[in-house]
Amino acid sequence: MLESVVFRALSDPTRRAVFERLSSGELTVSELKAGFPISQPAISQHLAALRSAGLVRERHEGRFTYYRADPKGLTPLAKWIDRYRIFWPARIEKLKTVLKDIDP
Amino acid sequence: MTQTDPANRVIVECELTEPPEKVWKALTVPELLAKWLLPNDIRPEVGAHFRLLPRKDGAGSIECQVLEAERNRRLRLSWREVDDESGADVHCRIVRSIVTFELSETAVGGTYLRLVHEGFEVVAIAAVSARVIQLPRSQRRGIRRMRRPVNAMSRPAHLRRAA
């Protein structure tokens, strides 16, 4: 999934709030709507955008459709974190040499 | 030095020969911190804001706030920066995270250092149009120097390998 697609999907504050709400559990559209001051069609539009960005998944059971956040959808942040896996050990090595020169 | 890799955290642990008091100085005195980390104006008081400056012109600065400061034992910071390496599409995002330094004295008078960088989250996303980064007004507070040319979208200075 292109990073830009994920970012664009999360660029709307309401959409981000919908995503965060779905991160703590599965909800139907009407359950979701209860927490937001916007119309059901608007919620559905946000869900569609989040789905096509791979951030939200849906599951059908009988008459109901349940939505939940897909944690794998936020993979782009993992690359950001990975850079720190290189950054910090290098900084700590530098810290060791700096410590030698500090008077008590 | 050991580095454990839970997927969303960076943990570095090591034993240093110097005592915790000295390590604390290296963490909290701006001139010393600058020698191994980045130029800064740190103040080790809870609530204090300071910046880390990878570049002289202030671009790409990291905005920090001291969350906990237990002398010679624990320094915890919020760490807020802009990730503008979003590829061809011009978006950038503000990433917040938490950095914790834990110091404990070893049996031989040295320091066991445990560094945890965690809590990574996107707190804002900005759309870059023309050559100016535009943030919604509510998100502009606390972020300085957001105006920068689009062609400066290279890896943030402090995260380049040569560092």
Side-chain angles (χ1 to χ4, degrees):
Chain A
M1 185 59 63
L2 287 176
E3 287 194 24
S4 56
V5 174
V6 172
F7 301 165
R8 227 181 280 125
L10 291 175
S11 62
D12 178 284
T14 307
R15 207 174 292 161
R16 277 181 56 220
V18 168
F19 177 71
E20 284 174 32
R21 187 104 201 278
L22 293 174
S23 300
S24 38
E26 240 181 12
L27 293 170
T28 60
V29 176
S30 41
E31 284 169 336
L32 193 49
K33 184 194 168 314
F36 294 95
I38 62 176
S39 67
Q40 187 140 323
I43 294 261
S44 296
Q45 233 174 35
H46 286 313
L47 285 171
L50 289 169
R51 259 194 71 214
S52 61
L55 290 167
V56 154
R57 301 182 76 97
E58 62 179 40
R59 169 178 85 84
H60 297 273
E61 191 177 287
R63 299 187 282 121
F64 297 103
T65 302
Y66 295 91
Y67 293 87
R68 68 182 185 283
D70 185 354
K72 291 194 296 296
L74 276 185
T75 304
L77 203 47
K79 286 197 214 141
W80 183 253
I81 297 171
D82 279 346
R83 292 176 198 154
Y84 278 104
R85 297 192 201 289
I86 297 166
F87 174 78
W88 283 117
R91 298 296 95 225
I92 299 299
E93 282 306 309
K94 195 77 208 286
L95 168 64
K96 289 177 181 173
T97 59
V98 169
L99 283 169
K100 291 191 199 339
D101 295 330
I102 300 177
D103 295 327
Chain B
M1 176 169 357
T2 59
Q3 188 177 355
T4 45
D5 278 4
N8 55 354
R9 299 204 288 174
V10 179
I11 300 176
V12 180
E13 296 174 283
C14 68
E15 203 167 317
L16 304 165
T17 51
E18 287 82 4
E21 298 75 33
K22 200 181 270 197
V23 180
W24 182 258
K25 270 196 197 172
L27 284 175
T28 56
V29 172
E31 298 75 27
L32 297 176
L33 186 64
K35 287 186 179 177
W36 65 276
L37 186 57
L38 287 164
N40 65 91
D41 53 350
I42 188 172
R43 280 185 306 127
E45 297 152 24
V46 175
H49 289 270
F50 66 94
R51 288 193 301 162
L52 300 171
L53 298 164
R55 287 158 57 154
K56 282 209 168 83
D57 63 2
S61 67
I62 301 164
E63 316 252 339
C64 298
Q65 187 178 22
V66 178
L67 301 176
E68 292 173 36
E70 222 185 305
R71 192 177 186 79
N72 303 336
R73 281 184 173 224
R74 189 176 161 93
L75 182 67
R76 191 162 196 183
L77 313 168
S78 71
W79 182 282
R80 189 179 168 113
E81 60 190 317
V82 174
D83 169 18
D84 65 356
E85 195 172 336
S86 307
D89 234 344
V90 286
H91 282 74
C92 72
R93 52 187 183 167
I94 295 164
V95 181
R96 183 183 180 266
S97 55
I98 309 283
V99 176
T100 308
F101 297 91
E102 281 172 2
L103 314 178
S104 45
E105 185 154 11
T106 64
V108 295
T111 302
Y112 189 77
L113 170 67
R114 184 166 193 263
L115 183 165
V116 180
H117 195 167
E118 63 190 331
F120 290 87
E121 57 173 352
V122 178
V123 294
I125 299 189
V128 180
S129 62
R131 301 175 86 78
V132 171
I133 297 172
Q134 292 164 348
L135 278 178
R137 187 167 289 276
S138 61
Q139 290 170 359
R140 280 185 211 151
R141 249 183 307 131
I143 303 296
R144 283 171 272 177
R145 297 188 208 267
M146 285 297 294
R147 299 176 72 92
R148 52 185 295 200
V150 164
N151 60 10
M153 288 204 310
S154 53
R155 181 170 295 182
H158 65 289
L159 293 174
R160 292 196 195 112
R161 259 181 199 273

